[in-house]
């Protein structure tokens, strides 16, 4: 056992931002499924709030039900608050050495770093995490993601879990499609996730451009405003945009094909 010496380990999260995406959703799933873990808090460093894509107010509210959130709006160094109250630190999204870390004592702390992909950011994150902590625990969600680490033999591979309850539809398929203005004869393709260049969201729109299909985009992201004009041009009126929903099951039930075009 990696943490057998801890009877009730105090675990904290150090992340770049509370943005819309898979990482924050994964953290929430960990919090919801935990048993016997003392969550010491979550600290993030990106300071913008409101409608900015880097801060998801919904996910922040859900996470706050399980552990305290240390914001740069309220704390001069939110990371310091979490580190000093934790035995184990889950660090993600930190891809370079930031000044905010320089005054923090990581002595005796275990630092967990998880690789979720094979892009340059996964490699930068892996390299940065080695700079901190008494001991580094390397994890990856796949064999491919494990290649982000130089010490591949020391990587613990744990595939992402699935919360099946989130895949169960709440609203009947017919009712959801009616809201989108499509009937059962129309083929509906969907994109669920962050609207960013590394996710290649335009692939779905280009498919719609050449087929008599309907597109559904669920999510927001750093490049949404950049992609939106081209998406609308390709899809015309055969397009539904949804910023956020916690009812992913009903979306999955209503579409005919989920498009995952990320090259990473």
């Amino acid at each position: 056992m990696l943490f057998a010496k801890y009877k009730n380990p105090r675990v904290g999260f150090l992340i770049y931002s509370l943005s819309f995406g898979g990482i924050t959703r994964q953290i929430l799933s960990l919090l919801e499924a935990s048993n016997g873990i003392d969550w010491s808090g979550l600290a993030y460093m990106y300071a913008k709030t409101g409608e900015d894509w880097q801060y998801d107010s919904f996910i922040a509210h859900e996470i706050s039900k399980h552990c305290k959130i240390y914001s740069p709006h309220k704390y001069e160094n939110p990371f310091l608050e979490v580190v000093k109250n934790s035995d184990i630190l889950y660090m993600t999204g930190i891809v370079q050495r930031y000044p905010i870390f320089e005054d923090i004592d990581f002595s005796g702390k275990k630092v967990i770093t998880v690789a979720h992909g094979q892009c340059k950011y996964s490699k930068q994150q892996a390299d940065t995490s080695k700079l901190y902590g008494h001991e580094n625990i390397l994890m990856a969600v796949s064999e491919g993601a494990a290649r982000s680490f130089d010490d591949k033999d020391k990587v613990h591979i744990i595939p992402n879990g699935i919360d099946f309850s989130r895949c169960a539809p709440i609203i009947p398929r017919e009712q959801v499609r009616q809201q989108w203005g499509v009937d059962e004869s129309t083929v509906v393709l969907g994109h669920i996730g962050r609207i960013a260049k590394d996710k290649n969201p335009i692939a779905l729109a280009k498919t719609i451009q050449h087929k008599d299909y309907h597109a559904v985009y669920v999510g927001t992201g750093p490049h949404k405003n950049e992609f939106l004009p081209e998406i609308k041009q390709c899809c015309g009126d055969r397009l539904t945009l949804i910023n956020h929903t916690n009812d992913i099951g009903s979306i999955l039930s209503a579409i005919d094909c989920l498009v995952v075009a990320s090259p990473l």
Side-chain angles (χ1 to χ4, degrees):
M1 294 291 289
L2 291 174
F3 312 117
K5 76 172 187 176
Y6 301 105
K7 184 177 181 180
N8 292 299
R10 301 174 301 161
V11 181
F13 298 94
L14 307 179
I15 67 177
Y16 179 72
S17 68
L18 267 175
S19 61
F20 176 90
I23 298 299
T24 47
R25 180 66 244 186
Q26 183 204 46
I27 290 174
L28 179 57
S29 295
L30 283 172
L31 294 170
E32 291 175 336
S34 66
N35 184 21
I37 296 178
D38 178 9
W39 301 108
S40 52
L42 178 148
Y44 68 97
M45 63 182 295
Y46 192 82
K48 290 186 179 180
T49 58
E51 295 299 317
D52 191 274
W53 76 272
Q54 289 277 20
Y55 183 87
D56 187 332
S57 58
F58 173 82
I59 205 75
H61 174 72
E62 294 300 308
I63 287 175
S64 67
K65 295 178 181 178
H66 304 276
C67 74
K68 184 175 181 177
I69 294 177
Y70 292 84
S71 159
H73 301 284
K74 296 181 179 180
Y75 295 88
E76 182 177 354
N77 190 334
F79 286 161
L80 175 61
E81 301 300 321
V82 172
V83 172
K84 70 183 182 181
N85 293 311
S86 302
D87 303 304
I88 302 164
L89 298 161
Y90 185 116
M91 183 184 292
T92 186
I94 311 299
V95 298
Q96 61 179 292
R97 189 167 189 161
Y98 292 101
I100 196 171
F101 286 108
E102 300 310 310
D103 297 327
I104 300 177
D105 183 8
F106 282 84
S107 300
K109 310 294 183 181
K110 290 180 181 287
V111 175
I112 298 174
T113 302
V114 183
H116 294 267
Q118 298 174 249
C119 65
K120 66 177 181 179
Y121 299 112
S122 295
K123 180 67 167 63
Q124 290 170 354
Q125 175 180 272
D127 292 339
T128 302
S129 68
K130 295 177 183 177
L131 302 173
Y132 306 102
H134 169 71
E135 181 181 352
N136 294 106
I137 308 299
L138 310 180
M139 297 184 180
V141 300
S142 67
E143 293 280 355
R147 299 190 186 100
S148 298
F149 298 103
D150 294 329
D151 304 324
K152 301 180 185 66
D153 295 337
K154 298 180 180 180
V155 179
H156 303 270
I157 298 175
I158 305 176
N160 279 330
I162 299 174
D163 182 353
F164 288 104
S165 66
R166 298 191 69 236
C167 299
I170 297 175
I171 305 173
R173 171 184 168 95
E174 296 77 11
Q175 185 176 335
V176 176
R177 291 171 71 95
Q178 185 178 29
Q179 293 173 359
W180 296 343
V182 299
D183 56 27
E184 193 57 39
S185 65
T186 302
V187 176
V188 178
L189 308 185
H191 170 101
I192 301 176
R194 192 169 70 254
I195 308 296
K197 293 177 180 178
D198 59 317
K199 301 300 182 183
N200 192 20
I202 201 65
L204 168 56
K206 288 183 176 179
T207 301
I208 300 298
Q209 187 178 27
H210 301 288
K211 296 286 186 179
D212 190 22
Y213 296 162
H214 188 90
V216 175
Y217 282 84
V218 181
T220 186
H223 305 126
K224 184 173 183 177
N225 291 336
E226 179 180 339
F227 280 115
L228 204 53
E230 187 176 0
I231 289 173
K232 290 181 176 179
Q233 183 180 11
C234 291
C235 300
D237 60 357
R238 293 173 292 130
L239 173 66
T240 299
L241 300 171
I242 302 171
N243 278 337
H244 191 286
T245 179
N246 203 37
D247 183 13
I248 296 298
S250 296
I251 301 293
L252 292 173
S253 175
I255 65 176
D256 298 298
C257 178
L258 177 66
V259 178
V260 181
S262 171
L264 306 177

